[in-house]
Amino acid sequence: MKVAFFGVGAVCSVISTLLCEQSSKNLKNCVEFLFIVRDEKKARLHFYKNSELLENSKFLEVSSFEEIFHHPIKYKKELENYDIFINSSTPSYNIEIMNLALEFNSNYVDLASDIYKDEVIDSLKFEQQKLEQEFKNKNLFALINLGVSPGITN
């Protein structure tokens, strides 16, 4: 399995570590990871205890994620053939990363949404849901709001 993370922090390091451990038990090899980050050196610090994971990882350092959103073809070589794109950065990038996932025929996961927007409160629908049919049409899945904080921070 090949997984691309947009942004690295504590939650990303935990998720990727668990995926690596589970795949090692089941598939006898670690998942291949791509971490898309603004600072590779800082990102690598989150994996200081997991050398196996780093051995199966690539880093793509960009000045901003918008660079990828506006010029996806420029990053085709790096982004193609990934099974899943995971937004582990800010929820403000959810739609852009979802669109990339659709463009590269990848599944999608995000960890949070801006649940306090008036339109979300009024409609009880998240903005990611507007892309539901596009994912269905391509036989892909998009799992939204899988973060770890519900019940912890509220």
Side-chain angles (χ1 to χ4, degrees):
M1 181 186 337
K2 294 176 72 172
V3 178
F5 280 92
F6 289 77
V8 170
V11 175
C12 169
S13 67
V14 169
I15 293 171
S16 56
T17 298
L18 291 172
L19 284 172
C20 186
E21 288 174 359
Q22 286 301 311
S23 69
S24 295
K25 290 177 185 175
N26 297 325
L27 303 173
K28 305 298 182 228
N29 59 1
C30 189
V31 175
E32 292 179 43
F33 293 106
L34 171 65
F35 298 104
I36 302 155
V37 299
R38 289 179 290 174
D39 186 330
E40 181 178 340
K41 186 177 179 180
K42 284 183 181 177
R44 284 181 174 275
L45 293 175
H46 288 281
F47 303 104
Y48 68 95
K49 289 186 176 180
N50 197 334
S51 59
E52 180 186 4
L53 187 143
L54 287 176
E55 289 170 9
N56 294 294
S57 299
K58 296 176 186 172
F59 285 82
L60 173 59
E61 189 174 79
V62 295
S63 58
S64 72
F65 290 159
E66 287 83 0
E67 185 179 325
I68 297 173
F69 303 151
H70 298 302
H71 307 286
I73 298 305
K74 181 179 172 184
Y75 296 93
K76 182 178 180 182
K77 182 180 175 189
E78 290 90 349
L79 296 175
E80 65 184 352
N81 300 319
Y82 275 84
D83 299 300
I84 188 163
F85 288 3
I86 299 177
N87 180 11
S88 53
S89 64
T90 176
S92 62
Y93 294 137
N94 286 341
I95 296 298
E96 287 86 357
I97 297 172
M98 288 182 88
N99 284 323
L100 279 176
L102 287 166
E103 184 164 339
F104 287 98
N105 291 310
S106 296
N107 298 292
Y108 171 82
V109 169
D110 66 48
L111 305 177
S113 291
D114 185 353
I115 62 172
Y116 300 108
K117 284 184 177 178
D118 287 338
E119 61 250 24
V120 173
I121 293 169
D122 293 340
S123 69
L124 299 177
K125 290 190 175 186
F126 296 101
E127 66 178 341
Q128 300 98 304
Q129 289 175 279
K130 69 183 179 185
L131 294 174
E132 178 183 7
Q133 194 57 51
E134 286 87 342
F135 276 86
K136 284 182 177 180
N137 291 345
K138 289 190 163 210
N139 202 27
L140 298 169
F141 68 80
L143 300 174
I144 63 172
N145 299 312
L146 295 181
V148 297
S149 67
I152 295 173
T153 60
N154 55 4

